[in-house]
Amino acid sequence: FLLELERRLSKGCYLSGSDFGFLDAAIAPFIRQFAHVDLVWFEDSCYPNTIKWLAEFKASLLFREIMKKSPVWTPESDALIIGAPTSGESLNKTSD
């Protein structure tokens, strides 16, 4: 699978063509999980286009917005509402 992914990415920056698309969005989280099983091996592997593609995905605004960290809940904690503003954020947050 990685060989096929590498082959496709050698022809362009994204799997879906010239722009990040649905195919990239669908596969990137799985490749991220795979890479993090042994990150040293992955980063030293012979898949430079895949490594670059994944790094760009992980640095993207899309990824940062999706993967916001929430406080760890414990039985002593107040209710944790996923997606609720964290300290310093407003309910009326607008994008730039």
Side-chain angles (χ1 to χ4, degrees):
F1 183 81
L2 288 177
L3 286 173
E4 178 62 20
L5 191 61
E6 183 68 17
R7 185 186 68 75
R8 288 178 180 232
L9 291 169
S10 71
K11 296 178 181 179
C13 294
Y14 302 103
L15 299 171
S16 302
S18 60
D19 297 313
F20 187 87
F22 290 121
L23 185 56
D24 300 281
I27 293 176
F30 294 101
I31 300 303
R32 177 182 170 268
Q33 288 300 109
F34 172 82
H36 282 259
V37 168
D38 189 343
L39 197 52
V40 172
W41 175 88
F42 183 78
E43 290 176 347
D44 289 341
S45 70
C46 59
Y47 307 109
N49 297 306
T50 304
I51 293 165
K52 180 181 177 203
W53 170 80
L54 182 61
E56 288 175 3
F57 170 68
K58 289 172 23 178
S60 71
L61 177 61
L62 172 67
F63 181 77
R64 289 192 316 268
E65 287 292 319
I66 291 169
M67 297 302 290
K68 284 187 178 178
K69 298 287 184 185
S70 296
V72 175
W73 183 86
T74 66
E76 297 79 28
S77 300
D78 292 332
L80 175 63
I81 301 172
I82 304 298
T86 58
S87 62
E89 287 185 330
S90 166
L91 284 173
N92 298 320
K93 181 180 174 185
T94 58
S95 60
D96 295 327

